[in-house]
Amino acid sequence: MDEARLESELFDVGRRLWDSLPAATRNPLKAADDKAMELASQDAELKAALFRFVDVVPACRSLDDLARHLTGFLGEVETPPPPVAVAMKMGNTRAGRAALGAAAAAGVKHMAHRFIVGENPKAALGTLRELWKDGVATSVDLLGEATVTQGEAQRYAARCTEALETVSAAARGWPERPALERDSAGALPRANLSVKVSALTPLLRPDAPERGKRDAADRLRELLRRARDLGAHLHIDMESLDSREAVLELVLELLAEDEFRAGPSAGMVLQAYLRDSPQTLEEVLEWSGGAGAAREHPLTVRLVKGAYWDHEVAEAAQHGWTAPVFEVKADSDRNFEQLTRRLLDARPALRVAVASHNLRSLAHAIAYDRLSGGDGADLELQVLRGLGDPLQHAIAAQGLRVRTYCPVGDLVAGMAYLVRRLLENTSNESFLADQAKGVPLEQLLAPPAAPAAIVADEPRGGI
Ligand SMILES: Cc1cc2nc3c(=O)[nH]c(=O)nc-3n(C[C@H](O)[C@H](O)[C@H](O)COP(=O)(O)OP(=O)(O)OC[C@H]3O[C@@H](n4cnc5c(N)ncnc54)[C@H](O)[C@@H]3O)c2cc1C
């Protein structure tokens, strides 16, 4: 590949996407309801206090209780910015506390509603249909992770079955959208569900992976059968590294079973922040040419950077291990691009979904596909609800296939998800934070910095 040509194509693609973002939303973190996120991203202490607060909100019994927690957490910030100082003063009286509590509860709910499309699949159908009409496919994710009891695992599996049935039934009535429904390997299901293995079993532990795998296998098999019978797609999310091997083995083993040869369409996730992700991809490619070769639907691989960066770094530091993730953001970005190329080159053995809100990462995938002779039909771009809303429309407007990951569930179940989204988007290293700061497009689209320069100059945040 001619790298100069690729950079020039990438820049054109990025510029076109940028130009079709509505001006007011070009800085998604600057929207009115993002004030808290913006403030938090400027102040690490405030950020930590807000995260602890968001965590306790669902457990608060009254507005007074809520405000007491808020002022308590904010009280830990040594020099609060002016709006925070005002909030703390309000917390000194009972009436002030009630008002503050109401505002905080409304704020958290508002923020949650940006990321969560409905309390249950039925409530989400209106949004799913609207998105589809606008040329945006979806994947539903049922919130609630890290199951502790068999009963919870069973309930999660039952909710997944219900979601598959509800969305599949509704999707039959959606209008035709050819760009979202076919690629060169065949038909693409309209109904698409993302599931987490850690929610399908309480036994998923790094020290006894076989037990967790066996326990999750029965529930996952049932879901695969239901998805196959309904003609839906089932996607298995990837979580932290301690469950990576078990999840990967489970998915590849089940999908190679005879009964799943004809379906369903299914997929897994590859995390580019993991240093060993290139080897993982080679394992998956070997499977697709071996045990998985007889399957009618090629496996979809969703490429992401990885959502558990802080956790992986902290876990490694605690044990005195070398971090399994890259510690320099540009290294994750560069690896993401290399994996994008390897995946696109591997078609049609795999279906490729590139998931990111980073304009450079997305534009790189689109440009590489084009310059290697693709017309976009065999490349899917994916974003998260609430973070990629303007981007999803910009991608659809270019005639490209885009899918938005849509969490469904209540506020309590959504808290872990919400905190992860806030953490990653108020991080100094986040693309969206750079975009919000007004970093110019040329810089946003520039290649990830060379490794040597970064190691020499940059402190390694948070370790
Ligand atoms: C549709 C969709 C589905 C997803 N599914 C999953 C999933 O199943 N499993 C999962 O883990 N994640 C998943 N994610 C989340 C994803 O992994 C990222 O957390 C998120 O998309 C942010 O990355 P970005 O490319 O959008 O933004 P960017 O701002 O370009 O990248 C941020 C990412 O860079 C990495 N990073 C941050 N700081 C550093 C550093 N100092 N050194 C090295 N790397 C760093 C982290 O991975 C961080 O999330 C999904 C995302 C999308 C859009």
Side-chain angles (χ1 to χ4, degrees), residues 128-407:
L128 302 185
R129 186 192 167 88
E130 275 311 300
L131 286 169
W132 180 266
K133 265 176 57 200
D134 289 346
V136 179
T138 49
S139 185
V140 166
D141 157 54
L142 296 175
L143 291 166
E145 31 201 307
T147 291
V148 184
T149 65
Q150 291 290 351
E152 282 173 357
Q154 207 47 46
R155 270 195 299 282
Y156 176 75
R159 283 169 61 219
C160 287
T161 305
E162 185 213 338
L164 281 170
E165 290 168 354
T166 307
V167 179
S168 298
R172 280 183 216 117
W174 293 349
E176 276 185 25
R177 288 290 175 271
L180 305 180
E181 302 194 62
R182 279 203 93 66
D183 66 4
S184 65
L188 294 162
R190 291 179 171 192
N192 184 310
L193 180 72
S194 290
V195 298
K196 289 196 170 55
V197 174
S198 69
L200 285 172
T201 172
L203 303 177
L204 198 63
R205 306 236 173 73
D207 45 352
E210 282 304 318
R211 247 179 103 212
K213 256 175 69 186
R214 265 201 312 277
D215 192 49
D218 292 339
R219 294 192 185 98
L220 189 54
R221 251 191 221 103
E222 276 306 317
L223 290 179
L224 287 167
R225 286 183 192 124
R226 202 67 199 112
R228 178 197 57 204
D229 297 347
L230 290 163
H233 174 95
L234 198 70
H235 213 97
I236 292 86
D237 284 356
M238 199 55 92
E239 303 170 66
S240 49
L241 182 64
D242 48 17
S243 63
R244 196 262 317 258
E245 283 312 304
V247 171
L248 186 64
E249 286 172 19
L250 180 66
V251 171
L252 299 185
E253 280 169 24
L254 293 198
L255 290 180
E257 290 177 358
D258 275 349
E259 69 164 314
F260 299 123
R261 199 176 275 199
S265 162
M268 46 80 67
V269 175
L270 183 68
Q271 295 161 314
Y273 65 5
L274 289 175
R275 296 178 197 271
D276 68 359
S277 47
Q279 288 92 289
T280 305
L281 176 52
E282 294 313 313
E283 263 177 60
V284 173
L285 281 170
E286 201 173 301
W287 175 90
S288 69
R295 283 184 50 77
E296 253 173 51
H297 305 262
L299 179 77
T300 304
V301 177
R302 177 201 296 154
L303 178 64
V304 302
K305 284 178 195 143
Y308 305 83
W309 189 84
D310 300 78
H311 166 84
E312 303 296 2
V313 170
E315 178 96 347
Q318 218 172 6
H319 291 91
W321 299 330
T322 307
V325 292
F326 292 110
E327 292 172 71
V328 174
K329 167 72 162 61
D331 289 344
S332 291
D333 291 341
R334 204 171 314 103
N335 190 42
F336 190 90
E337 294 187 5
Q338 274 154 12
L339 293 172
T340 300
R341 295 179 185 203
R342 181 80 179 106
L343 279 165
L344 291 174
D345 290 344
R347 294 169 300 178
L350 299 172
R351 278 179 160 145
V352 184
V354 173
S356 174
H357 311 104
N358 182 320
L359 206 56
R360 157 94 199 175
S361 304
L362 292 174
H364 170 267
I366 299 166
Y368 188 84
D369 174 52
R370 264 185 211 158
L371 293 192
S372 44
D375 59 1
D378 291 330
L379 167 64
E380 180 164 298
L381 291 322
Q382 296 191 349
V383 297
L384 297 176
R385 169 78 174 176
L387 289 179
D389 298 356
L391 206 47
Q392 73 195 357
H393 296 300
I395 296 170
Q398 301 293 312
L400 298 165
R401 189 165 80 246
V402 59
R403 185 178 307 280
T404 295
Y405 184 96
C406 293

Side-chain angles (χ1 to χ4, degrees), residues 53-133:
F53 170 66
V54 165
D55 243 352
V56 303
V57 170
C60 290
R61 285 174 312 276
S62 65
L63 296 179
D64 202 33
D65 201 14
L66 197 66
R68 220 189 310 270
H69 274 105
L70 179 60
T71 45
F73 287 134
L74 294 179
E76 294 163 21
V77 180
E78 253 176 46
T79 43
V84 175
V86 171
M88 286 171 64
K89 259 196 211 122
M90 282 175 75
N92 290 338
T93 66
R94 197 180 161 78
R97 271 205 302 277
L100 187 60
V108 171
K109 264 206 195 126
H110 189 84
M111 204 167 332
H113 283 145
R114 226 182 86 180
F115 296 98
I116 300 172
V117 290
E119 281 201 16
N120 53 55
K122 200 154 171 263
L125 288 179
T127 306
L128 302 185
R129 186 192 167 88
E130 275 311 300
L131 286 169
W132 180 266
K133 265 176 57 200

